[in-house]
Amino acid sequence: MTVTSPDRTISARTAISAGGRRPTIRPGRQWLALTHRSIIGMTRHGEFFLSITAPVLLTLCFYIPLRTIMDGYPGMDYAQFLMPVICLQSAGFVATSAAMRAATDSSTGLTSRLRSMPVNAMVPPLARLASNVVLLVVSLTWAIISGLVIGWRPTSGVVDFLGFIGVAMVVGLLLAFGADTIGAISKNPAATSQALALPQLILGMLSTGFIPEERFPDWIQPFARNQPISQFTELMRGFDAGEVTWDLAFPSLCWAAGIAAAGIAAVTLVTIRSSRG
């Protein structure tokens, strides 16, 4: 039997048959059904529209007022300089959206209802992650289009361009994964949005994504240089210039590993709590 209620979008043979046999669990079908439900909800609530407009507006808001000033900096092509952080900020938007969606599912009781059904505890977060991948691809695509419009060009070959995009995708997935867990824990969409917006704003503005390190006051340069947004930005610039080295990549790998470890630990706690609930 197929359960077709909107709140229980599970497409699998999970009901007990007339002969009294145990239910047949189809995690793959459950995952597809929940992913489809999430994507439909994202479309209905305008998240895809926002994932298109956010990179465009972000590009315009920073490139237009700062271009004249920054292009006068020795050796500066501001379109090339700005492009990595445009991609990372677009990924940050996806993370915020992921957190709010997870918090909404928890606050409306969907998460609790799924716990009472024969659904593997990992299926709902993996379904949300899959939908976040779709949103991330859309957002990064429009970030790339926006960059091309202002004059950014991938000049170092296909491999380096794939590395450039790969860094943005990995960072976006890590942020979405962690944000989804935060949303599931908080169960409060408004508070979750506020909790994620402030760190993104601080790290973004106090990074080397928008201005070079030497333009910051001396006392804050170490923070601006070593925080994660700056490190990911510099790695993307390395790919953009075809000059990636181990010394350049190592700090970003450490930050990525730390974010991944924190996210895995958090989702493990959520899964254990769900299974006991």
Side-chain angles (χ1 to χ4, degrees):
M1 183 176 68
T2 301
V3 182
T4 58
S5 172
D7 291 331
R8 299 183 179 184
T9 313
I10 308 297
S11 178
R13 296 175 182 175
T14 57
I16 300 178
S17 67
R21 291 177 297 175
R22 297 181 62 183
T24 301
I25 307 300
R26 304 280 188 181
R29 292 185 181 181
Q30 294 174 346
W31 174 80
L32 285 174
L34 289 175
T35 300
H36 179 262
R37 174 192 177 277
S38 185
I39 291 175
I40 293 299
M42 288 158 54
T43 304
R44 185 181 303 117
H45 294 113
E47 291 183 50
F48 284 108
F49 175 75
L50 292 175
S51 72
I52 293 172
T53 57
V56 174
L57 293 177
L58 186 65
T59 302
L60 294 176
C61 289
F62 284 99
Y63 180 73
I64 291 177
L66 294 177
R67 178 192 59 176
T68 303
I69 299 173
M70 300 305 297
D71 278 347
Y73 197 78
M76 172 72 71
D77 180 342
Y78 195 54
Q80 297 291 135
F81 185 86
L82 185 64
M83 187 59 195
V85 79
I86 295 297
C87 292
L88 294 177
Q89 291 292 317
S90 299
F93 160 78
V94 174
T96 301
S97 179
M100 292 186 65
R101 202 177 318 113
T104 299
D105 284 351
S106 295
S107 64
T108 57
L110 176 64
T111 302
S112 297
R113 284 192 290 272
L114 289 175
R115 290 175 188 168
S116 67
M117 301 173 69
V119 179
N120 187 288
M122 289 303 299
V123 168
L126 288 177
R128 292 195 301 267
L129 183 62
S131 62
N132 291 331
V133 170
V134 175
L135 193 65
L136 179 61
V137 169
V138 173
S139 189
L140 289 180
T141 297
W142 279 91
I144 294 296
I145 293 172
S146 301
L148 291 172
V149 169
I150 65 174
W152 169 80
R153 295 294 182 269
T155 58
S156 299
V158 175
V159 173
D160 285 310
F161 174 70
L162 292 177
F164 180 93
I165 298 299
V167 173
M169 282 293 298
V170 170
V171 172
L173 288 173
L174 289 174
L175 292 179
F177 179 69
D180 180 90
T181 305
I182 292 173
I185 294 173
S186 73
K187 302 181 181 181
N188 187 325
T192 300
S193 176
Q194 295 173 5
L196 291 178
L198 186 58
Q200 286 188 45
L201 178 63
I202 293 174
L203 292 178
M205 299 305 297
L206 294 180
S207 75
T208 59
F210 297 106
I211 62 175
E213 176 189 338
E214 52 269 26
R215 290 294 182 94
F216 287 96
D218 292 342
W219 60 272
I220 204 172
Q221 284 185 13
F223 174 81
R225 177 177 62 251
N226 295 304
Q227 56 116 321
I229 298 298
S230 294
Q231 292 297 328
F232 293 136
T233 296
E234 293 303 323
L235 179 57
M236 292 179 71
R237 287 183 183 139
F239 278 112
D240 202 25
E243 299 175 350
V244 176
T245 63
W246 172 250
D247 289 339
L248 180 64
F250 183 72
S252 294
L253 293 174
C254 290
W255 276 114
I259 295 171
I264 291 172
V267 79
T268 300
L269 291 175
V270 172
T271 302
I272 292 174
R273 188 177 67 177
S274 298
S275 62
R276 290 178 178 176

